[in-house]
Amino acid sequence: MLLVSSIFLLLYRNSPKVEASRSEPVPIYLDNLLNAGRQVYDNQSPPVQHDKEEVTVVELAMYIEGMSSFRTQTMDFQLDVYFQQFWRDPRLAHNETRRVLVKDKAVLHKMWKPDVYFANARIAEFHEVTQPNFLVWIQPDGSILYDTRISMVVVCTLNLEKWPLDSQRCHLRILSYAYTTEQLVIKWKEDEPITRNPNIAMSDMHIVDLYPGLCDGNYSTGTWSCVTAEFFVKREITHHVMQSYVPTTLIVVISWFSFWLDVEAVPARVSLAITTLLTLSTQANAARMALPEVSYMKAIDVWMGACMMFVFGVMIEFTIVNYAQRQGRKWHRTDAEIVMASSLESVKSGNAEKKPSRGDLGAHARHLFLRLRTNERQHLVEDPPEQIAMNDTAYDTAAPVVQPPQNEDAEAQEEVWAEQKETNLSEVWKESDPAERLAHWNEKENDASSPLMGNGRAHVRYGAAEKMKNRKCNDSSRKKEKWSSAIKQIQKHKKIAGRNRAKKIDQTSRWIFPLTFIIFNLTYWIYYLYWKE
């Protein structure tokens, strides 16, 4: 058997090279060669291990059939590829006119093949349905293509600082497990090493480009050949704009409706602010549930935090408005203070009129008598009957005439005047029928010979003492009414001033909050879309 295999190999080496276009099954002599054992074909050694100056070069190519969305919670993505390896094994050269196709896994296991693996794949598996998905082509010169279908879950450490406005670069690392660069070198094919299915579509990502790369690393055991496949993907933001940015923007705008509500509509404004704040909090929690816990701030965190600050600012603005309405402009000279000063001046001027100086006391008394005389009838009618003890003949011509006080001391004159008046009244008025006295009162009042109208001088009449007491009570009541009116006016003006100030704060907030939010939006989108790499 060994002799036969050697003869076939000798014949192949002397045969001309033919480019294969179709595949042939494994020839009998190749099958015999692979079954001859390690003395004829050593499947444990690279093809050129006997030559110390040459190394086995393995070229790789990859066709991406499918790719799933990048999962931010687990930081990985799924990949379905056709993985192709090219190398040359002169020991398997043959004299067939076409390439030899190997579909039997038993034959594959007898051949030497590179021990490449995917370093950052969490899970990788071959497809076995309906048959094992692989093929091996052996060209007449010993060039071999090993193509197999592999599905894997690749780990990718995502940088979420710009999420959901981010783009990611993930790498698939491929290297040899057992052979160092002194025995085996891995590299990408020069002509389109990485291709993909143009119909690949992910829900929230799109592939921007694919880049082949090298990642040879030095370890304590030696230098190991390594290549990388870099996936540059960018996140689709339409979903996040519709699910996160637009709703939160509308919530912030709705919170501004509080500026157009009445300053006294406390329940409505508080309910609106709290409702919008709680809704924003719910939106922020929903956005964070799909993300891992990282130590840095993400773009969505900045957005949600800013929106919550704007809504919280509306609550602060309402607190200031409510305080301004209740307190008024306490720290300035307000209209209420001006009204208070004018009211105090009017009260003081009224008090000055009620207490004349000593020089004007006589004139004041005469003026008071004239006013008493003109209103006497009204007071007599209003007086109770038990106080009226007069008759039509009760006029005493000998009654002394009471003169207005003329002494220097105004208060002493006023007391003497009151005593004289009470004495004269007791002597003048006699017991009589009240009805008769009232019937003759009008004509007796106008009689010039009446004791109260002697020689054109005013005489003391009944009710003067009571009139003076009532006047004092009325003066006190008027003072209280003036003070009460002044206080009410002050309170009213303070309320108006506070309300006006609250309205000014609301009017200012109506353009400050939207303008600030627009500036924040411009800064946010420019920074995360164009500036921050």
Side-chain angles (χ1 to χ4, degrees):
M1 182 66 68
L2 180 60
L3 179 61
V4 174
S5 300
S6 301
I7 292 173
F8 277 116
L9 288 175
L10 182 61
L11 291 175
Y12 164 74
R13 288 178 181 142
N14 294 330
S15 65
K17 303 294 188 294
V18 180
E19 191 69 27
S21 58
R22 296 179 62 183
S23 301
E24 296 288 346
V26 179
I28 299 299
Y29 61 88
L30 280 181
D31 192 18
N32 293 333
L33 176 65
L34 294 173
N35 293 326
R38 296 185 62 185
Q39 295 178 352
V40 179
Y41 182 84
D42 188 3
N43 62 355
Q44 304 295 323
S45 301
V48 290
Q49 188 178 8
H50 61 279
D51 192 345
K52 303 298 182 183
E53 295 181 357
E54 294 183 9
V55 295
T56 302
V57 177
V58 179
E59 293 183 341
L60 304 179
M62 187 165 55
Y63 178 82
I64 302 175
E65 177 64 29
M67 193 173 181
S68 73
S69 299
F70 287 67
R71 295 187 291 254
T72 54
Q73 189 68 36
T74 56
M75 288 197 176
D76 56 25
F77 64 97
Q78 291 182 345
L79 203 59
D80 187 9
V81 300
Y82 293 102
F83 188 62
Q84 302 164 354
Q85 305 175 59
F86 301 87
W87 73 94
R88 184 173 180 270
D89 190 350
R91 297 173 295 179
L92 297 179
H94 59 85
N95 59 354
E96 299 294 327
T97 58
R98 300 184 181 94
R99 63 195 180 193
V100 174
L101 173 63
V102 178
K103 282 292 294 175
D104 189 358
K105 292 189 73 173
V107 176
L108 178 64
H109 290 325
K110 296 176 183 179
M111 296 173 53
W112 180 92
K113 54 186 178 295
D115 60 341
V116 297
Y117 73 102
F118 305 100
N120 60 330
R122 182 174 285 126
I123 299 173
E125 58 184 8
F126 295 103
H127 286 252
E128 300 287 340
V129 180
T130 58
Q131 290 289 328
N133 295 169
F134 81 96
L135 66 85
V136 176
W137 286 345
I138 303 175
Q139 300 293 343
D141 63 347
S143 298
I144 300 175
L145 164 63
Y146 175 37
D147 189 355
T148 183
R149 185 181 178 187
I150 304 174
S151 293
M152 66 188 80
V153 177
V154 183
V155 176
C156 177
T157 303
L158 305 178
N159 184 1
L160 302 177
E161 290 185 1
K162 294 177 60 178
W163 193 92
L165 309 175
D166 59 328
S167 57
Q168 303 293 336
R169 293 182 180 270
C170 295
H171 299 82
L172 175 63
R173 296 171 57 234
I174 307 169
L175 66 160
S176 173
Y177 198 91
Y179 301 106
T180 63
T181 55
E182 296 176 354
Q183 295 177 296
L184 188 143
V185 174
I186 300 174
K187 65 178 183 180
W188 290 107
K189 283 185 65 70
E190 295 182 358
D191 185 18
E192 294 184 354
I194 304 175
T195 55
R196 67 181 180 91
N197 183 357
N199 296 323
I200 292 177
M202 293 179 285
S203 60
D204 62 342
M205 289 280 195
H206 70 274
I207 300 175
V208 178
D209 208 346
L210 303 171
Y211 303 99
L214 297 175
C215 59
D216 292 351
N218 295 321
Y219 300 94
S220 60
T221 54
T223 302
W224 307 85
S225 182
C226 176
V227 295
T228 60
E230 181 179 332
F231 302 87
F232 180 37
V233 294
K234 193 171 184 179
R235 195 177 303 277
E236 296 284 355
I237 65 173
T238 304
H239 168 76
H240 299 283
V241 168
M242 299 303 297
Q243 294 296 321
S244 298
Y245 288 97
V246 171
T248 51
T249 301
L250 292 178
I251 291 171
V252 172
V253 173
I254 289 173
S255 68
W256 298 340
F257 293 173
S258 173
F259 303 146
W260 278 268
L261 295 178
D262 188 75
V263 294
E264 295 182 354
V266 176
R269 298 185 70 161
V270 171
S271 300
L272 180 61
I274 293 178
T275 301
T276 52
L277 189 62
L278 293 177
T279 307
L280 269 178
S281 179
T282 304
Q283 287 279 342
N285 291 332
R288 283 193 292 266
M289 286 180 62
L291 298 175
E293 295 180 358
V294 294
S295 59
Y296 48 82
M297 184 175 293
K298 302 176 287 293
I300 192 65
D301 295 334
V302 175
W303 176 266
M304 291 294 181
C307 291
M308 293 184 71
M309 289 300 297
F310 274 100
V311 176
F312 188 73
V314 172
M315 296 185 67
I316 297 298
E317 188 271 349
F318 167 68
T319 304
I320 296 174
V321 165
N322 188 265
Y323 179 80
Q325 180 195 6
R326 288 185 291 105
Q327 297 295 328
R329 292 176 294 176
K330 188 176 181 180
W331 48 90
H332 296 291
R333 180 173 175 82
T334 61
D335 296 337
E337 293 174 344
I338 297 174
V339 171
M340 180 185 289
S342 61
S343 300
L344 291 175
E345 291 177 0
S346 63
V347 171
K348 290 179 180 179
S349 61
N351 291 337
E353 292 178 358
K354 299 301 181 297
K355 294 182 179 181
S357 61
R358 294 183 179 182
D360 298 333
L361 188 59
H364 179 72
R366 287 189 296 271
H367 178 69
L368 181 61
F369 262 40
L370 291 176
R371 291 179 61 183
L372 290 173
R373 180 179 178 276
T374 56
N375 296 327
E376 182 63 30
R377 181 183 303 172
Q378 179 180 356
H379 278 280
L380 281 175
V381 174
E382 293 176 353
D383 287 337
E386 58 269 12
Q387 294 181 2
I388 302 175
M390 301 181 299
N391 53 26
D392 55 331
T393 60
Y395 295 98
D396 187 1
T397 56
V401 178
V402 179
Q403 298 294 337
Q406 300 293 334
N407 294 334
E408 300 249 334
D409 192 347
E411 295 180 359
Q413 291 179 358
E414 191 172 354
E415 293 178 358
V416 172
W417 181 34
E419 292 177 358
Q420 293 178 356
K421 178 178 58 178
E422 292 177 0
T423 304
N424 294 334
L425 286 174
S426 61
E427 295 176 356
V428 170
W429 304 109
K430 309 286 184 175
E431 292 293 335
S432 62
D433 183 19
E436 183 180 358
R437 184 170 62 252
L438 289 174
H440 296 281
W441 174 257
N442 186 31
E443 58 185 31
K444 290 182 179 295
E445 180 184 25
N446 296 326
D447 189 1
S449 63
S450 174
L452 297 178
M453 297 297 296
N455 299 325
R457 293 177 299 175
H459 293 268
V460 176
R461 296 165 302 182
Y462 179 76
E466 293 295 331
K467 191 173 186 65
M468 291 298 296
K469 292 181 181 179
N470 292 336
R471 184 176 182 83
K472 291 181 181 180
C473 294
N474 292 336
D475 290 343
S476 177
S477 299
R478 281 195 295 270
K479 289 179 183 180
K480 292 180 180 179
E481 291 177 358
K482 285 185 177 181
W483 277 105
S484 177
S485 176
I487 292 173
K488 290 181 180 179
Q489 192 175 10
I490 290 170
Q491 292 176 347
K492 179 180 179 181
H493 280 263
K494 285 187 69 176
K495 184 177 180 180
I496 294 174
R499 187 179 180 86
N500 291 337
R501 183 171 182 83
K503 287 183 177 180
K504 288 181 180 179
I505 296 174
D506 275 343
Q507 291 172 357
T508 305
S509 301
R510 290 173 189 173
W511 63 268
I512 286 182
F513 274 77
L515 180 62
T516 307
F517 191 68
I518 291 173
I519 294 174
F520 165 74
N521 270 268
L522 292 175
T523 306
Y524 178 87
W525 293 105
I526 291 174
Y527 177 75
Y528 281 105
L529 290 180
Y530 302 105
W531 191 6
K532 185 175 178 61
E533 294 294 336

